[in-house]
Amino acid sequence: MALLEIKNVGKLFQVDGQDMEALQDINLSIRDHEFVCFIGPSGCGKTTLLRIIAGLDDPSSGSVYLDGDLIMGPGPERGMVFQEYSLFPWRTVIDNIAFGLELKGVNKKERLERSKQYLKMVGLERFSDRYPHELSGGMKQRVAIARALVNDPKALLMDEPFGALDAQTRNIMQSELLRIWEEERSTVVFVTHSVDEAIYLADRIVIMSARPGRIKDVISIDIPRPRVRTSTEVNGIRDRILADLKSEIVTS
């Protein structure tokens, strides 16, 4: 069953008085509980498309539907996780997580209970009263994920959430995200520049062309989890994706 329907989406920006086409004729169905990664050359419109799904930007043409409803703007049924954490420095960890529930008018006792549940899920129970500046990058991103999930979104939208982390922490966070996703069973739409990350995480990988961004290929990953990053199957998929991306960089 499709949760997200992206239909004929295009996006134009004005740059120095000229139209710049960022996205062209994007069509894709994303199933309920599916983990989909978008990958493509820099500037191909991956983040723009994610922002359109989030309701933060409007498409110039086409439309996006969530559970059959036209997306007209931001909403709690879509949780967004950015690369730069976006935590409030003046709020403690538990208060950062509870922020969305507070905006929805959830009473203090319930939002505290729900926030503690998700704080435990991301393994940070001991840090509830800490402030963001007291946390490592990986811990900040766990808080950002918990803050998105506590609102019980139908879709979790992630824009290179581990891009600023060191390689070891990034690998750990990928495994942690899969653990949380398998527990929550949210639909995840994940933007990345890393081929290895996409193969490790995704049910399907959407490869985008150079600007204007179009869907060039969609690859289903049928390898059971947890995946061995150096396996023959993974290497074969990596070679296919790299060849696709190389051809886009050469022709762009």
Side-chain angles (χ1 to χ4, degrees):
M1 175 183 173
L3 178 74
L4 278 163
E5 291 278 359
I6 304 168
K7 296 186 176 182
N8 307 312
V9 164
K11 182 66 178 178
L12 292 174
F13 289 104
Q14 283 282 317
V15 179
D16 297 327
Q18 302 291 321
D19 283 341
M20 185 202 70
E21 191 174 22
L23 295 170
Q24 183 182 94
D25 197 27
I26 303 293
N27 288 277
L28 187 71
S29 295
I30 298 175
R31 298 185 297 273
D32 200 12
H33 309 315
E34 191 175 19
F35 200 126
V36 174
C37 284
F38 283 80
I39 194 165
S42 293
C44 72
K46 302 183 297 293
T47 293
T48 298
L49 180 59
L50 197 71
R51 289 178 61 85
I52 289 172
I53 297 170
L56 298 173
D57 286 337
D58 295 324
S60 302
S61 58
S63 49
V64 183
Y65 298 85
L66 179 71
D67 249 356
D69 295 325
L70 179 65
I71 291 175
M72 302 288 287
E77 71 280 357
R78 284 153 289 141
M80 188 84 174
V81 179
F82 302 91
Q83 181 176 344
E84 62 273 13
Y85 315 128
S86 303
L87 301 180
F88 299 118
W90 60 88
R91 295 179 73 114
T92 62
V93 164
I94 195 72
D95 286 340
N96 262 287
I97 294 172
F99 179 70
L101 298 176
E102 189 176 332
L103 288 181
K104 291 166 69 174
V106 176
N107 69 69
K108 186 173 183 179
K109 180 181 178 182
E110 182 181 347
R111 67 176 184 255
L112 183 62
E113 289 175 354
R114 287 172 62 178
S115 297
K116 283 182 176 179
Q117 173 190 344
Y118 282 90
L119 192 61
K120 182 177 181 180
M121 179 184 290
V122 298
L124 293 176
E125 308 100 299
R126 295 187 295 111
F127 297 88
S128 63
D129 295 325
R130 301 287 183 89
Y131 289 88
H133 74 271
E134 300 178 277
L135 307 179
S136 68
M139 292 164 73
K140 289 176 184 176
Q141 204 56 291
R142 290 184 192 208
V143 175
I145 292 169
R147 184 177 63 181
L149 289 174
V150 75
N151 293 297
D152 194 25
K154 295 178 180 179
L156 183 63
L157 313 177
M158 309 188 78
D159 187 12
E160 297 193 67
F162 309 142
L165 304 178
D166 64 84
Q168 183 177 0
T169 304
R170 186 170 186 158
N171 285 351
I172 292 170
M173 287 301 300
Q174 290 165 7
S175 297
E176 283 296 290
L177 176 60
L178 285 179
R179 176 184 63 80
I180 293 165
W181 169 71
E182 287 171 351
E183 185 172 336
E184 285 291 289
R185 300 306 293 168
S186 297
T187 298
V188 177
V189 183
F190 190 106
V191 165
T192 182
H193 274 101
S194 169
V195 175
D196 289 344
E197 183 168 70
I199 297 171
Y200 187 74
L201 293 174
D203 294 316
R204 285 191 296 161
I205 298 174
V206 179
I207 302 174
M208 295 186 67
S209 69
R211 191 172 64 233
R214 304 174 307 280
I215 293 178
K216 181 175 183 178
D217 198 2
V218 180
I219 300 174
S220 295
I221 311 295
D222 297 322
I223 305 169
R225 297 181 176 93
R227 293 168 183 161
V228 178
R229 299 175 193 264
T230 55
S231 70
T232 301
E233 296 90 343
V234 165
N235 286 334
I237 295 169
R238 182 187 297 111
D239 289 346
R240 175 180 169 183
I241 295 172
L242 288 173
D244 263 348
L245 293 175
K246 182 179 180 181
S247 69
E248 288 302 312
I249 293 170
V250 168
T251 58
S252 62

